[in-house]
Amino acid sequence: MARVHNFSAGPAALPERVLRECADELLDFRGTGMSVLEMSHRSAAYQAVIDDAEATLRRLLGLDDDWAVLFLQGGATLEFAGVPLNLMRSGTAGYVVSGHFAEKAAQEGAKYGDARVLASSADERFSRIPDLGPVNEACAAGGLDYLHICQNNTIFGTMYHELPRTGDVPLVADVSSCFLGLPIDVARYGAIYAGAQKNAGPAGVTVVLVRRALVAAGPLDVCPTYLDWRLEAAKGSMYNTPNTFGIYLCGKVFRWVEEQGGLAEMERRNREKASLLYSTIDESKLFHGTAQPESRSICNVTFTTGDPALDKRFVSEAADQGLVGLGGHRLVGGMRASIYNAVRLESVEALAGLMRSFERFL
Amino acid sequence: MARVHNFSAGPAALPERVLRECADELLDFRGTGMSVLEMSHRSAAYQAVIDDAEATLRRLLGLDDDWAVLFLQGGATLEFAGVPLNLMRSGTAGYVVSGHFAEKAAQEGAKYGDARVLASSADERFSRIPDLGPVNEACAAGGLDYLHICQNNTIFGTMYHELPRTGDVPLVADVSSCFLGLPIDVARYGAIYAGAQKNAGPAGVTVVLVRRALVAAGPLDVCPTYLDWRLEAAKGSMYNTPNTFGIYLCGKVFRWVEEQGGLAEMERRNREKASLLYSTIDESKLFHGTAQPESRSICNVTFTTGDPALDKRFVSEAADQGLVGLGGHRLVGGMRASIYNAVRLESVEALAGLMRSFERFL
C-alpha cells in the first residue's frame, strides 16, 4: 500500500530516502559482500560508518572536541540513571518536573543522591513548563552537581522556549523528542541526551553528548560499567558491541538533515507545520489544545474535543484515511500529532484538512 | 559483489533469507504503509511482532510460563551488572572465570557484593574450562545467591561440555556465543542471557531468560530501573521503547531456526562444521588449535601457526579469497573462525580447503 501519514510519537517516521538506501544496501553494504547487520563492529568498514555518523552530528550541532559524543543503548530511561551515576558526585542535583519523563528522571536521581525538585507543573497536569524563577535562584545559590530538565515533553506537547539560567551549574537535558528538530545552543549545556527514535533514527540508540571535563572524575562506585560515560568516551562508544545497525541508520538521518539545510531549516519546517496545526486548533470550536499556548511544542501537538468518545472517533476516521499514530498518550487522552523532521508538510496539511471537515460534517 | 564467507565473531552472518525478507518489507511492513522501523512499539502491529518472537523462542527452548523472556538492550556487558543487581540479594555469589567476559562478569559482580571466583583457568591462558570440582563443592556448601558461568568463550574458543552441578544454587549463564547453536536443558538454569549478535539476530538486543520466582523479591536499591528484570517481565520488555527493529529481526531468525529443524539440527550442523575444522587442524603440521581438545567450542574455532606474521598472511590471503572475519581476538592472536548457525558448511569447506592449500604451497 502507499506510505501512510505517520504521526507516531516514536518510533516515528523516517525519511523515505533513508529507508530506500538502507533497503538497497541491506544484503551488500558498499561492496563488502555482507550486510551492515553482519559486520564486525571492529572492522575498518564499520569504523568508517560510526566515524561518519559522529562527524556529521558534530557538524550539525557545532560540537568541538571538548564534547564527547556517545552512541549507547537503553533509551533515555537508562540514562535517567546514567546522569546521576556519572554526574552526582557531591550528592545533590536539581530537577525540573515538567512531565512524565522529567518526573521519572527525578525519581531515578533520588536513588543515588538528593534529587531536589526545584519546580513542577504537576498541579497543572503538566500543561506548561513550570515557572523557572525558583530554579534560577537555586542555581545561583550553588551546591548542585547539575540541573536536569526534559526539554520537550512528548506526552503533554510542551517545550521550553527559554532555558533556565543555571550559571555555573551544568545544565543536563533530556532532549529526546526535540533533538535535531531545531538548533541547540550547546554552550548552555553540560550534557545533552536523547533517545534516537524521534528525529534521529530508530529505537535502540541513545545519543549522549557530554563535556569531557564533567566526567573526568569518573562515575559513582555503583555505576554499571556500561553506563560509565568516561569509559565510553575513551572507547569511542565501543566498550562493548554497540547497536551497529541503529548507528548506521542514525548516520544516514544526520546526513539527510544536513543535506536538507541543517537544523535551522528543520526548525523552519517544524514551526511551519506546528503553526498550521495550532492555527487550525485555535480557529476550531470543536478542538482545543491541551498545552498552554506559551509552552506549546513544535514537535508534538496535543489536542482534544473534550469528549473521549468523539476523540476516539476522530482517531479512527483519521486512520481510515491513512493518517496514523494520532491517539494521545494514555495519561492525557485526546490526540497527539508528532510532527518530527521526517513528517512532511503535506501530511500536516492532510491532518488540518481532516480536522476541518470532521468539525464541519459532525 | 557476491556474498562473502563471513566468519565474524559477532555481529556475524545472518541467514540470507532473513535479510531478503527484511529488505522486502523495509518500506512497507505487511501492508501497514510504514517500515517496522517507524512503527510505534505500542501499536497492535508491533505487539504481534514481539509476541511472535517470544512465542517462537519459547517453543525452541521449551520455556514455560515459569520463565520470563526479556528483550533488552546494552549487551551482555550491561547484564554483567543486571545479574548481581537482580539476584545478589544475600550478597554472595560464585563465579567461574573461564575467559575474558567471564572475568568481566565477576568484576562487575564485585561492585555489588562478594563475587567469589570459585575456579579460573587464567593461569592456562583460558585454554580450557576450569576443573569444576571446587565449584560443585562450593555449591553444595550453599550460601550462594547464584553461580555464574560464561558457557562459550568466544575469544578463546572453549565451551562447557558438562555443566557444574549447582544443586539448589541457581545457575546463571552468559550463553551469548552458543545461544541457539545447540539445545539447552533449561531445567538446569535459573537465568540465561545472551547478546543476540551471534546466532540470534543483530547487535543491540540482549535476550534475558529468568525464572520468575528468582526475581519475585525485586532488585537491589541501587539498580537502575531499566535493569529491573521483575519490572521488565511485568511490562513485556516495554517499560520503555525497546529495540523494535532488532527484536523484529531476532523473531525472523528464531523462525528460520525452527523451520530448519530447531536446535537439535543446529547442533548437528555446528558439530559437523566444527569437526571439519578441528580435523583439518589436527591433521596439519602448520596449524594448531589454541583450545585444549576437551574444551573445544563448536561455535568458535581458534587456531594459529605460532608465527604472528604467518597468521597475518593467512588472514590476508583468506580475505582476498572472500573468507572474512578470521583474525583472532587481540588477546589471543592467530585465527578464529566463528561458525554460527548462519555460516554454511560450504563456507567452512572453503576455509578448510584454504588451510590445506596454504600449508601445501607455503
Side-chain angles (χ1 to χ4, degrees):
Chain A
M1 87 178 260
R3 303 239 318 143
V4 293
H5 300 292
N6 185 357
F7 296 97
S8 294
L14 287 165
E16 191 171 329
R17 205 189 72 203
V18 165
L19 292 172
R20 287 196 189 281
E21 275 180 27
C22 172
D24 288 345
E25 294 176 342
L26 205 68
L27 272 92
D28 182 6
F29 176 70
R30 300 179 192 170
T32 55
M34 65 173 81
S35 176
V36 70
L37 286 158
E38 303 174 296
M39 189 169 285
S40 170
H41 58 299
R42 306 287 181 199
S43 65
Y46 189 75
Q47 189 64 52
V49 169
I50 191 170
D51 286 349
D52 185 71
E54 178 177 335
T56 311
L57 186 59
R58 284 183 180 276
R59 284 196 304 276
L60 285 172
L61 294 168
L63 292 171
D64 63 23
D65 196 56
D66 291 348
W67 288 82
V69 172
L70 311 179
F71 296 106
L72 303 177
Q73 300 176 57
T77 294
L78 181 55
E79 298 308 333
F80 293 165
V83 169
L85 284 166
N86 282 280
L87 302 179
M88 211 191 252
R89 294 211 60 91
S90 78
T92 306
Y95 282 80
V96 181
V97 173
S98 57
H100 179 68
F101 293 109
E103 191 163 44
K104 292 276 185 196
Q107 288 165 352
E108 201 76 359
K111 286 186 178 176
Y112 307 105
D114 181 6
R116 295 185 187 164
V117 176
L118 302 175
S120 168
S121 50
D123 59 358
E124 296 174 84
R125 304 186 64 175
F126 298 126
S127 61
R128 65 177 188 98
I129 302 299
D131 174 29
L132 297 176
V135 178
N136 296 339
E137 279 166 35
C139 288
L144 300 175
D145 286 320
Y146 58 85
L147 176 78
H148 184 278
I149 64 170
C150 180
Q151 196 154 332
N152 185 86
N153 300 283
T154 326
I155 295 175
F156 301 95
T158 64
M159 74 184 287
Y160 284 73
H161 292 283
E162 185 175 345
L163 292 175
R165 292 190 298 278
T166 62
D168 292 337
V169 176
L171 177 62
V172 176
D174 171 4
V175 298
S176 294
S177 48
C178 60
F179 185 54
L180 306 186
L182 71 173
I184 189 165
D185 180 6
V186 296
R188 301 285 300 270
Y189 300 81
I192 299 166
Y193 65 105
Q197 69 273 14
K198 319 287 187 175
N199 275 319
V205 177
T206 322
V207 179
V208 176
L209 314 172
V210 61
R211 288 181 188 277
R212 296 187 198 279
L214 271 187
V215 292
L220 305 188
D221 289 344
V222 294
C223 182
T225 304
Y226 181 84
L227 276 178
D228 176 346
W229 290 351
R230 183 177 63 172
L231 177 69
E232 292 287 0
K235 297 286 187 184
S237 304
M238 295 221 213
Y239 173 67
N240 69 338
T241 316
N243 179 346
T244 50
F245 180 79
I247 296 168
Y248 152 81
L249 210 58
C250 285
K252 282 192 184 296
V253 173
F254 300 160
R255 283 272 187 184
W256 178 85
V257 170
E258 190 171 50
E259 287 159 21
Q260 297 291 308
L263 299 184
E265 173 62 12
M266 293 300 112
E267 179 176 19
R268 189 195 66 72
R269 295 182 190 179
N270 291 332
R271 286 198 185 277
E272 184 178 14
K273 292 180 284 182
S275 177
L276 174 56
L277 286 184
Y278 287 124
S279 65
T280 306
I281 290 166
D282 291 340
E283 287 160 14
S284 165
K285 291 192 171 57
L286 179 65
F287 298 106
H288 61 268
T290 56
Q292 296 185 37
E294 74 280 11
S295 294
R296 282 173 166 177
S297 168
I298 64 166
C299 310
N300 312 93
V301 176
T302 51
F303 57 102
T304 177
T305 63
D307 171 355
L310 198 56
D311 286 347
K312 207 174 157 186
R313 195 174 133 201
F314 178 80
V315 170
S316 163
E317 287 212 10
D320 288 347
Q321 298 189 30
L323 285 76
V324 306
L326 284 167
H329 191 278
R330 65 187 183 281
L331 293 176
V332 180
M335 280 72 75
R336 170 177 53 185
S338 298
I339 51 172
Y340 302 130
N341 293 345
V343 177
R344 288 174 303 165
L345 180 60
E346 71 176 60
S347 292
V348 175
E349 286 168 345
L351 173 57
L354 179 70
M355 289 167 70
R356 286 190 299 264
S357 51
F358 186 84
E359 181 167 359
R360 194 175 316 125
F361 297 113
L362 191 67
Chain B
M1 86 179 259
R3 302 235 322 140
V4 293
H5 300 292
N6 185 356
F7 296 97
S8 293
L14 288 164
E16 191 171 329
R17 204 190 71 204
V18 165
L19 292 173
R20 287 195 190 282
E21 275 180 28
C22 172
D24 288 346
E25 294 176 341
L26 206 68
L27 272 92
D28 181 7
F29 176 70
R30 300 178 193 170
T32 56
M34 65 174 80
S35 176
V36 70
L37 286 158
E38 302 174 295
M39 188 169 285
S40 171
H41 57 300
R42 306 286 180 200
S43 65
Y46 189 75
Q47 190 65 51
V49 169
I50 191 170
D51 286 350
D52 185 71
E54 178 177 335
T56 311
L57 187 59
R58 285 183 180 275
R59 284 195 305 275
L60 285 173
L61 294 168
L63 292 171
D64 64 24
D65 196 57
D66 291 348
W67 288 82
V69 172
L70 311 179
F71 296 106
L72 302 177
Q73 300 177 56
T77 293
L78 181 55
E79 297 308 333
F80 293 164
V83 169
L85 284 166
N86 283 280
L87 302 179
M88 210 191 253
R89 294 211 60 92
S90 77
T92 307
Y95 281 81
V96 181
V97 174
S98 57
H100 179 68
F101 293 110
E103 190 163 45
K104 293 274 184 197
Q107 288 164 353
E108 201 77 358
K111 286 186 179 175
Y112 307 105
D114 181 6
R116 294 185 188 164
V117 176
L118 302 175
S120 168
S121 50
D123 60 358
E124 296 174 84
R125 303 186 63 176
F126 298 125
S127 61
R128 67 179 187 95
I129 302 300
D131 174 29
L132 298 176
V135 178
N136 297 339
E137 280 166 35
C139 288
L144 300 175
D145 287 318
Y146 58 86
L147 176 78
H148 184 278
I149 64 169
C150 180
Q151 197 154 331
N152 185 86
N153 300 281
T154 326
I155 295 175
F156 302 95
T158 63
M159 75 185 287
Y160 284 73
H161 293 283
E162 185 174 346
L163 292 175
R165 293 189 297 278
T166 62
D168 293 337
V169 176
L171 177 62
V172 176
D174 171 4
V175 300
S176 295
S177 48
C178 60
F179 186 54
L180 307 186
L182 70 174
I184 190 164
D185 179 6
V186 296
R188 302 284 299 271
Y189 299 81
I192 299 166
Y193 65 104
Q197 69 273 16
K198 320 287 188 177
N199 275 320
V205 178
T206 321
V207 179
V208 176
L209 314 172
V210 62
R211 287 180 188 278
R212 296 186 199 279
L214 270 187
V215 291
L220 305 189
D221 290 343
V222 294
C223 182
T225 304
Y226 181 83
L227 276 178
D228 176 346
W229 290 351
R230 181 178 64 172
L231 177 69
E232 293 286 359
K235 298 286 187 183
S237 304
M238 295 221 213
Y239 173 68
N240 69 338
T241 316
N243 179 346
T244 50
F245 180 80
I247 296 167
Y248 151 83
L249 210 57
C250 285
K252 282 192 184 295
V253 173
F254 301 161
R255 283 272 186 184
W256 177 86
V257 169
E258 191 170 50
E259 287 159 21
Q260 297 292 306
L263 299 184
E265 173 63 12
M266 293 299 113
E267 178 176 19
R268 189 196 65 73
R269 294 183 191 180
N270 291 331
R271 286 196 185 279
E272 185 179 14
K273 293 180 285 181
S275 175
L276 174 56
L277 286 184
Y278 287 124
S279 65
T280 307
I281 289 166
D282 291 340
E283 287 160 15
S284 164
K285 291 192 172 59
L286 180 64
F287 298 106
H288 61 270
T290 56
Q292 295 185 39
E294 74 279 11
S295 294
R296 282 172 166 176
S297 168
I298 64 166
C299 310
N300 311 92
V301 176
T302 51
F303 56 103
T304 176
T305 63
D307 172 355
L310 199 56
D311 287 347
K312 205 172 159 187
R313 196 174 130 201
F314 178 79
V315 169
S316 162
E317 286 211 10
D320 288 346
Q321 298 190 30
L323 287 75
V324 306
L326 284 167
H329 190 279
R330 65 186 184 282
L331 293 175
V332 179
M335 278 72 74
R336 170 177 53 185
S338 298
I339 51 172
Y340 301 130
N341 293 346
V343 176
R344 289 173 304 166
L345 180 60
E346 70 175 62
S347 292
V348 175
E349 286 169 344
L351 173 57
L354 179 70
M355 289 167 70
R356 286 191 298 265
S357 50
F358 186 83
E359 181 167 359
R360 194 175 315 124
F361 297 113
L362 191 68

